[in-house]
């Protein structure tokens, strides 16, 4: 039996071999440009920054596309051409089967992610998610860590980017464990970060790791339609300018005001209930913002004991704008669905007496759910706007079944 240190060593060995394969295939392909698709949260922005810097170091021009969710029609459009290099950062592994189906051997496609993976059936789709090597994306590494290790393996000079792995990993509740602990040691020994009391300071940028993380968490999701993700990736590499700090402050104030208005409304009307589901429609509360804000609000609600049932799933609905910045318009009308499990319900989930959040969504959206992903206590997806009523009915039914039971609709 291997000890944990040996597991990490074997995982890195596997990873470095795969990176070598990517580098060889890039050379064979001979492209001058790469398309980089990334998530909109802090981890996704840090992941994109690390990969962008690494690919530019190889002489490639990098085009960034920030996605909140992996829409099938966007994936199909991206893979319709041939002979391209396409990278997915902090997004992609749960939908490697969809990406494979869309690609069909046409393009070199590389996934750098930490979410629970599905198998990639296309040999031209290379998923370097370290979960394939026995590590856990919930604790051992973030999407940004995976992307940093990719950058460092391509060129040791990219060790200067170690702080990006730490920034992205601030989303992991367990703290810096596993590979993240190794990256922290490396960053400290190289002088890339330094300790100042309890804070970690990024020396090249003169900003704290957590401060940069918090700023990115606002720029990406709240500023999704206002150039926030692009500014966030730039800030990862160049630091926080006064203009970026000002914009992040304005965006955060907008979100807090929207949260207050929605909370006041729910205190007046309460949440609607069906089965073990309590749900609300955010209406136009977050009209100018990206949809990740609805998940954040649901997480906040899960701790409001006077407003919610502690043993029922919280479901938030938010109408999506029909566009993807940097890509184009989406065909159809869609609603973002976010699910959170309050603390009392988590014990029921752990005991198998209630389905996980992601299982709930899988069952309730079977046949029409888009980009269903998440974990035991938190999950999200997108559904067509005309399927909301059917979704609520199915979710109510699924919520009352034990965790191991499924029903085909």
């Amino acid at each position: 039996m291997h000890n944990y240190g040996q597991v990490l060593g074997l995982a890195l060995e596997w990873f470095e071999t795969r990176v070598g394969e990517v580098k060889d295939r890039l050379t064979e392909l001979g492209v001058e440009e790469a398309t980089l698709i990334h998530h909109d949260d802090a981890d996704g922005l840090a992941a994109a920054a690390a990969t962008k810097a690494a690919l530019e170091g190889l002489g490639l021009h990098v085009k960034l596309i920030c996605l909140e969710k992996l829409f099938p029609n966007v994936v199909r459009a991206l893979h319709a051409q041939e002979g391209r290099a396409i990278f997915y950062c902090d997004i992609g592994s749960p939908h490697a089967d969809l990406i494979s189906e869309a690609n069909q051997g046409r393009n070199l496609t590389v996934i750098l992610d930490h979410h629970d993976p599905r198998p990639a059936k296309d040999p031209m789709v290379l998923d370097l998610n370290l979960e394939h090597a026995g590590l856990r994306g919930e604790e051992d590494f973030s999407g940004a860590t995976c992307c940093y290790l990719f950058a460092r393996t391509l060129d040791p000079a990219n060790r200067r980017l170690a702080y990006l792995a730490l920034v992205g990993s601030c989303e992991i509740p367990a703290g810096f464990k596993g590979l993240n602990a190794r990256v922290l040691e490396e960053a400290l020994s190289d002088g890339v970060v330094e300790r100042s009391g309890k804070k970690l300071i990024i020396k090249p940028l003169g900003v704290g790791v957590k401060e940069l993380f918090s700023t990115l968490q606002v720029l990406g999701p709240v500023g999704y339609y206002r150039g926030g993700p692009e500014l966030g990736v730039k800030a990862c590499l160049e630091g926080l300018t006064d203009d970026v700090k000002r914009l992040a402050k304005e965006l955060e104030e907008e979100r807090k005001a929207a949260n207050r208005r929605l909370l006041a409304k729910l205190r007046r009307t309460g949440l609607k209930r069906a089965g073990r589901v309590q749900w609300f429609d955010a209406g136009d509360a977050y009209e100018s913002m990206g949809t990740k804000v609805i998940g954040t609000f649901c997480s906040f609600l899960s701790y409001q004991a006077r407003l919610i049932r502690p043993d029922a799933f919280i479901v938030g609905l938010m109408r999506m704008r029909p566009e993807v910045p940097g890509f184009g318009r989406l065909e159809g009308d869609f609603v973002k669905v976010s699910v959170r499990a309050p603390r009392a319900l988590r014990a029921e989930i752990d005991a198998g007496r209630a389905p996980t959040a992601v299982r709930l969504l899988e069952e309730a959206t079977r046949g029409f759910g888009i980009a269903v992903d998440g974990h035991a206590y938190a999950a999200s997806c997108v559904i067509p706007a005309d399927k909301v009523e059917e979704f609520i009915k199915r979710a109510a039914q699924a919520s009352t079944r034990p965790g191991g039971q499924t029903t085909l609709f």
Side-chain angles (χ1 to χ4, degrees):
M1 181 178 290
H2 298 298
N3 62 37
Y4 190 65
Q6 287 176 312
V7 171
L8 286 181
L10 290 169
L12 285 172
E13 210 173 287
W14 171 87
F15 185 83
E16 289 166 4
T17 300
R18 300 286 277 170
V19 174
E21 186 179 349
V22 171
K23 189 172 184 180
D24 290 343
R25 291 200 186 190
L26 275 173
T27 302
E28 291 170 11
L29 197 58
V31 293
E32 296 180 354
E33 181 179 283
T35 300
L36 195 161
I37 300 100
H38 64 97
H39 204 202
D40 65 327
D41 61 3
D43 191 22
L45 300 183
T51 309
K52 178 176 182 287
L55 295 176
E56 287 177 344
L58 296 179
L60 296 175
H61 172 72
V62 179
K63 178 185 179 182
L64 296 174
I65 298 175
C66 183
L67 291 181
E68 298 182 294
K69 280 291 184 182
L70 213 58
F71 282 91
N73 56 340
V74 174
V75 173
R76 285 192 286 268
L78 289 169
H79 290 264
Q81 298 179 37
E82 193 169 351
R84 303 171 67 197
I86 302 173
F87 287 76
Y88 288 86
C89 298
D90 190 41
I91 194 169
S93 283
H95 311 289
D97 48 353
L98 167 68
I99 293 170
S100 296
E101 184 182 331
N103 194 58
Q104 294 187 8
R106 285 190 288 263
N107 304 281
L108 173 61
T109 304
V110 181
I111 300 173
L112 300 163
D113 195 3
H114 72 130
H115 297 98
D116 294 349
R118 288 184 180 271
K121 299 174 183 177
D122 180 353
M124 286 293 284
V125 176
L126 307 178
D127 187 357
L128 274 63
N129 189 328
L130 284 144
E131 287 219 342
H132 290 300
L135 301 187
R136 298 187 67 223
E138 293 88 357
E139 291 190 359
D140 295 319
F141 67 103
S142 64
T145 304
C146 187
C147 290
Y148 163 66
L149 293 172
F150 173 77
R152 187 191 70 179
T153 306
L154 280 182
D155 184 350
N158 288 326
R159 286 170 68 105
R160 63 188 173 82
L161 302 172
Y163 66 87
L164 291 172
L166 305 178
V167 171
S169 298
C170 286
E171 74 170 22
I172 297 177
F176 298 128
K177 294 175 61 179
L179 276 181
N180 289 330
R182 287 199 174 188
V183 172
L184 175 58
E185 291 174 11
E186 181 180 298
L188 288 167
S189 65
D190 287 356
V192 174
V193 300
E194 64 180 2
R195 294 190 187 276
S196 178
K198 293 184 178 180
K199 294 182 179 180
L200 289 172
I201 306 299
I202 304 165
K203 290 184 70 176
L205 305 184
V207 63
V209 166
K210 288 192 175 178
E211 181 186 353
L212 182 53
F213 172 81
S214 299
T215 304
L216 297 178
Q217 287 287 71
V218 175
L219 287 175
V222 187
Y224 183 69
Y225 295 106
R226 287 175 276 182
E230 295 90 336
L231 287 174
V233 172
K234 187 176 181 181
C236 281
L237 299 171
E238 300 178 14
L240 297 175
T241 64
D242 290 340
D243 287 344
V244 169
K245 290 179 182 178
R246 192 177 305 113
L247 174 62
K249 185 177 180 182
E250 291 172 3
L251 291 171
E252 181 61 1
E253 287 172 354
E254 283 184 35
R255 176 168 65 177
K256 286 180 177 178
N259 285 347
R260 286 194 295 269
R261 290 192 295 269
L262 182 54
L263 187 61
K265 176 185 173 183
L266 293 179
R267 281 175 175 155
R268 290 194 307 271
T269 65
L271 280 72
K272 299 175 184 178
R273 294 194 172 104
R276 293 184 75 174
V277 168
Q278 50 196 330
W279 64 281
F280 67 95
D281 188 333
D284 60 358
Y286 301 109
E287 188 177 13
S288 63
M289 306 176 199
T291 61
K292 194 171 182 66
V293 295
I294 191 69
T296 305
F297 184 77
C298 286
S299 294
F300 168 76
L301 271 187
S302 69
Y303 295 97
Q304 304 306 302
R306 294 183 180 180
L307 193 58
I308 64 160
R309 269 184 54 187
D311 62 342
F313 290 96
I314 296 169
V315 176
L317 307 175
M318 175 181 172
R319 183 66 67 100
M320 296 187 71
R321 287 172 60 166
E323 62 184 278
V324 174
F327 175 80
R329 290 184 64 82
L330 296 169
E331 293 294 327
D333 295 322
F334 300 100
V335 168
K336 167 74 176 293
V337 180
S338 286
V339 177
R340 295 294 185 274
R343 189 177 300 277
L345 180 58
R346 295 177 188 179
E348 297 284 296
I349 292 171
D350 292 343
R353 293 190 294 268
T356 64
V358 73
R359 172 64 64 84
L360 180 80
L361 282 186
E362 286 171 347
E363 291 200 39
T365 67
R366 197 182 308 278
F368 58 78
I370 298 168
V372 178
D373 52 39
H375 305 284
Y377 310 142
S380 66
C381 71
V382 174
I383 61 174
D386 61 1
K387 293 291 187 181
V388 169
E389 189 174 335
E390 184 176 356
F391 161 72
I392 294 297
K393 181 180 177 181
R394 288 185 178 188
Q397 294 170 349
S399 68
T400 60
R401 284 192 290 272
Q405 293 185 11
T406 60
T407 298
L408 294 177
F409 292 98

